[in-house]
Amino acid sequence: MTDAYDYSDRIGRVEPSATLAISNLAAEKEAEGADIVDLSVGEPDFDTPENVVEAGKEALDAGHTGYTSSNGIAPLREAIAGKLRDDGIDASADEVIVTPGGKQALYETFQTLIGDGDEVVLLDPAWVSYEAMVKLAGGDLTRVDLASHGFQLEPALEDLAEAVSDDTELLVVNSPSNPTGAVFSEGALEGVRDLAVEHDLAVISDEIYERIVYDADHVSLASLDGMADRTVTVNGFSKAYSMTGWRLGYLHATEEFVGEAGKLHSHSVSCATNFVQRAGIEALENTDEAVEEMREAFADRRDLLVDLFEEHGVDVDVGDGAFYMMIPVGEPRADDADWCERAIEQAAVACVPGSAFNAPGFARISYAASEERLREAVDRLVANDLL
Ligand code: PMP
Ligand code: GLU
């Protein structure tokens, strides 16, 4: 049946999230009885740490069920500012907006900074939702490819320098990266800083995987000289504390930016969920051990997968963070959409095509799954002649 709605141009510019679409497909197949190894969605497979769950329950029992102040409860914003100061960012609680998930923080940032025709630079492969959010804001995309540089930014700085100009409004940096796992070096981030200052750019630094790093150090972009008043730092609780369904994240920027973005925040979500914000304080303050356990488990899984792929002749440019890797599936094997379709239909393994991240010829594997399931996935791919 055709309907009577006249859809906006804006909504016609975007497709549903590919990462969520594939995990929905995997869930549907499982509901029909299929045994799918789901390596599609980026979601830690651990329980939320128990003390955080308890803090959430206590907050509910204590009646914290009403609206909060729009930008978030003061003690959580204080705790976030303290955490950011530990990262070398000169932050105060008034410079923070607490959001229902890091995604909402990103959405508000694009809407606040980008208008029709404004240029946004992405580093490819780039997480699927950046492109959609830029298009929803009316912006134009310029893309710099890191795939030919082993997914690293430092060797691609010259390409980035060619791509940005005084007309560029915003650059998006995501380290550790989804979908590659790459952690950008301090030299790379200093290169970003130099370009940002030279061309007077704003930069989004999406640091949601910052607690999941292996043989590298995470550097917060806003801690570098010259970046404090031009960086929007985005972070969230989903990945570090295995809290995807709680929906909690935040942004940090200048107080003036918070005033502007806060308008959109107050007219759209009003505030993040009250009792969830209270659990967020516990997550920030008392989870170091749980975070470390998860980080070590991810590191072991990454190493296991690299070994297994190597055994089958697949050479992976593996990163030092997050829980993703991009495996090459291009010619002579297949194009990535076709490969992922065969992976789920024939081998019952769900992965995301690299094309979703503007990186055709690769498939993204999320290794937030048990070692047993990872071995099973590789066995199935081999048995179906996909590796
Ligand atoms: N940024 C990146 C790079 C991500 O992979 C995700 C995952 N969903 C997010 C932001 C947002 O996560 P959330 O909304 O669950 O905080
Ligand atoms: N960020 C995760 C992913 O890339 C979760 C899904 C999403 O929000 O895209 O799989």
Side-chain angles (χ1 to χ4, degrees):
M1 184 178 78
T2 53
D3 63 35
Y5 308 116
D6 187 7
Y7 294 102
S8 69
D9 291 343
R10 186 185 321 110
I11 207 67
R13 285 181 219 137
V14 296
E15 296 296 326
S17 162
T19 47
L20 296 179
I22 291 162
S23 82
N24 288 347
L25 177 65
E28 270 168 36
K29 286 183 177 292
E30 293 211 304
E32 288 161 9
D35 168 31
I36 306 286
V37 184
D38 186 1
L39 308 182
S40 64
V41 76
E43 176 161 42
D45 55 323
F46 300 102
D47 292 334
T48 302
E50 214 170 300
N51 57 320
V52 177
V53 174
E54 279 311 313
K57 285 184 189 165
E58 278 167 24
L60 271 173
D61 286 342
H64 293 302
T65 54
Y67 294 128
T68 69
S69 67
S70 183
N71 287 355
I73 57 172
L76 177 57
R77 285 185 294 113
E78 291 288 354
I80 290 168
K83 178 241 177 278
L84 293 168
R85 285 195 295 273
D86 290 345
D87 296 335
I89 301 174
D90 182 20
S92 75
D94 294 338
E95 298 166 345
V96 171
I97 301 180
V98 177
T99 52
K103 225 179 216 179
Q104 177 69 17
L106 288 163
Y107 183 77
E108 291 178 10
T109 302
F110 285 113
Q111 289 291 323
T112 300
L113 293 179
I114 299 306
D116 284 340
D118 286 342
E119 188 195 49
V120 181
V121 175
L122 296 185
L123 304 173
D124 285 332
W127 178 47
V128 59
S129 292
Y130 299 140
E131 173 177 333
M133 290 187 200
V134 172
K135 287 182 174 169
L136 286 169
D140 291 335
L141 287 158
T142 297
R143 317 194 66 134
V144 175
D145 184 34
L146 307 188
S148 54
H149 299 286
F151 302 131
Q152 278 299 334
L153 175 56
E154 197 161 351
L157 279 175
E158 271 180 34
D159 300 351
L160 180 60
E162 270 172 39
V164 297
S165 70
D166 290 350
D167 292 334
T168 307
E169 204 70 39
L170 178 67
L171 166 67
V172 182
V173 176
N174 171 219
S175 175
S177 153
N178 176 5
T180 68
V183 177
F184 299 151
S185 64
E186 191 158 1
L189 298 179
E190 283 167 357
V192 165
R193 184 266 318 277
D194 293 346
L195 289 170
V197 170
E198 180 185 343
H199 296 290
D200 197 19
L201 315 180
V203 181
I204 292 179
S205 183
D206 180 346
E207 304 186 5
I208 197 159
Y209 297 100
E210 149 237 15
R211 299 291 303 268
I212 308 169
V213 285
Y214 312 119
D215 309 314
D217 291 324
H218 170 77
V219 175
S220 286
L221 200 48
S223 70
L224 301 187
D225 278 351
M227 291 308 287
D229 62 345
R230 61 178 71 252
T231 307
V232 182
T233 304
V234 171
N235 209 325
F237 294 68
S238 289
K239 318 291 172 168
Y241 312 110
S242 200
M243 291 176 70
T244 47
W246 295 69
R247 312 306 305 129
L248 192 64
Y250 59 90
L251 65 82
H252 168 265
T254 61
E255 213 174 319
E256 190 179 347
F257 179 95
V258 162
E260 296 298 312
K263 296 182 211 166
L264 175 61
H265 189 72
S266 70
H267 285 301
S268 53
V269 296
S270 298
C271 62
T273 305
N274 189 334
F275 53 89
V276 169
Q277 292 188 51
R278 288 167 208 274
I281 300 171
E282 182 70 12
L284 281 177
E285 291 181 348
N286 289 312
T287 47
D288 281 354
E289 222 171 282
V291 168
E292 180 55 18
E293 271 171 34
M294 291 191 260
R295 193 193 70 82
E296 282 171 14
F298 288 134
D300 290 345
R301 294 162 179 191
R302 176 192 68 155
D303 295 347
L304 170 74
L305 263 188
V306 170
D307 287 349
L308 291 174
F309 284 130
E310 212 174 87
E311 268 173 40
H312 297 286
V314 182
D315 203 11
V316 184
D317 277 318
V318 66
D320 263 324
F323 38 67
Y324 305 107
M325 61 179 72
M326 291 283 263
I327 62 165
V329 297
E331 295 303 339
R333 289 192 195 90
D335 80 66
D336 55 296
D338 176 64
W339 189 93
C340 287
E341 173 142 2
R342 287 194 287 138
I344 193 162
E345 296 299 340
Q346 296 168 14
V349 176
C351 312
V352 185
S355 303
F357 312 100
N358 213 33
F362 293 92
R364 187 191 75 174
I365 306 256
S366 163
Y367 51 90
S370 70
E371 292 195 2
E372 187 196 343
R373 294 301 272 172
L374 294 174
R375 283 183 195 280
E376 174 72 23
V378 173
D379 287 348
R380 289 183 189 188
L381 293 173
V382 171
N384 285 275
D385 207 19
L386 284 155
L387 290 183

